Amino acid sequence: MALKRQLGKYKFRDLTIEELKNVHHKFPELKLSMDTYTFSDGSQKDLLSLIGTIPIRYQGHSYNIPIQIWILDSHPFGPPLCFLRPTSNMIIREGKHVDAQGRLYLPYLQHWSHPKTDVTGLLNEMMAEFEKTPPLYTKPATDELSLAELNNYVAAISSDLSEVSLQPKMDAQHFGKVTVLGGGDLGMACAMSILAK
């Protein structure tokens, strides 16, 4: 009953509810939520979304891939919008079916045509594609250093450099140099911390 009220603005509410019942039966770990979606043109709309994880097997190991599927108010005649929802220790692997923001572009979505296609079929294709090449991977251990640990480390190095540079040789001017390898967040944090010292 609550779902019917939430889907009051959906053109094909009864069809959508029936389909979501099937999805819940096969993928109970996906939870329904009514949220505001912001489109690329800046417009917003309250849409139903499925949030959770889907299981995959890759190279003999099991993984749970976090996703979010936005159900448009034209459902089931309009294809859903699908995204990865990486956790803080995950990085999106861009590829043929995934962009840098984690949006998914699967063939199933491109050929969406009710009643041949539905969310359950979409989830099955997602799992099949992700088992070929997982769309997420874990950040390297070096990126997991907390900012506090990084600042402490850089402060220790910087204080050593300061002590050396405070005692220049009398016969020549001494310039200290620091080289930071890596251009990611970690490298930038190192460079900014050294500059601040």
Side-chain angles (χ1 to χ4, degrees), residues 110-176:
Q110 294 167 3
H111 301 105
W112 189 269
S113 174
H114 178 75
K116 290 187 234 171
T117 53
D118 58 22
V119 176
T120 301
L122 171 62
L123 289 164
N124 288 331
E125 176 164 299
M126 238 182 243
M127 291 190 297
E129 286 295 334
F130 294 170
E131 286 181 348
K132 292 177 195 168
T133 308
L136 298 168
Y137 62 95
T138 305
K139 285 182 182 177
T142 52
D143 286 348
E144 292 172 7
L145 285 174
S146 71
L147 193 55
E149 289 173 327
L150 179 61
N151 283 335
N152 289 339
Y153 180 70
V154 171
I157 293 172
S158 299
S159 65
D160 288 346
L161 290 173
S162 301
E163 288 167 16
V164 171
S165 61
L166 285 173
Q167 301 168 0
K169 293 179 182 176
M170 297 303 288
D171 58 340
Q173 196 171 4
H174 176 76
F175 294 99

Side-chain angles (χ1 to χ4, degrees), residues 23 26-31 50-57 62-69 82-85 90 104 106 119-131 135-136:
V23 172
K26 292 176 181 168
F27 297 90
E29 62 282 354
L30 293 175
K31 304 301 177 200
L50 286 162
I51 302 173
T53 60
I54 54 172
I56 66 162
R57 295 277 301 167
S62 297
Y63 299 94
N64 290 310
I65 305 296
I67 60 162
Q68 182 167 19
I69 297 175
C82 305
F83 293 86
L84 297 169
R85 287 176 52 93
M90 292 178 176
L104 302 172
L106 297 165
V119 176
T120 301
L122 171 62
L123 289 164
N124 288 331
E125 176 164 299
M126 238 182 243
M127 291 190 297
E129 286 295 334
F130 294 170
E131 286 181 348
L136 298 168

Side-chain angles (χ1 to χ4, degrees), residues 19-91:
E19 188 173 327
L20 292 174
K21 282 181 184 173
N22 291 334
V23 172
H24 178 70
H25 178 70
K26 292 176 181 168
F27 297 90
E29 62 282 354
L30 293 175
K31 304 301 177 200
L32 288 171
S33 172
M34 187 62 88
D35 293 304
T36 303
Y37 181 80
T38 304
F39 292 89
S40 54
D41 64 0
S43 62
Q44 295 184 325
K45 192 177 276 193
D46 288 337
L47 296 175
L48 193 68
S49 72
L50 286 162
I51 302 173
T53 60
I54 54 172
I56 66 162
R57 295 277 301 167
Y58 181 69
Q59 294 183 347
H61 299 283
S62 297
Y63 299 94
N64 290 310
I65 305 296
I67 60 162
Q68 182 167 19
I69 297 175
W70 293 90
I71 308 294
L72 296 178
D73 54 5
S74 58
H75 193 82
F77 296 96
L81 305 173
C82 305
F83 293 86
L84 297 169
R85 287 176 52 93
T87 60
S88 59
N89 69 333
M90 292 178 176
I91 297 174

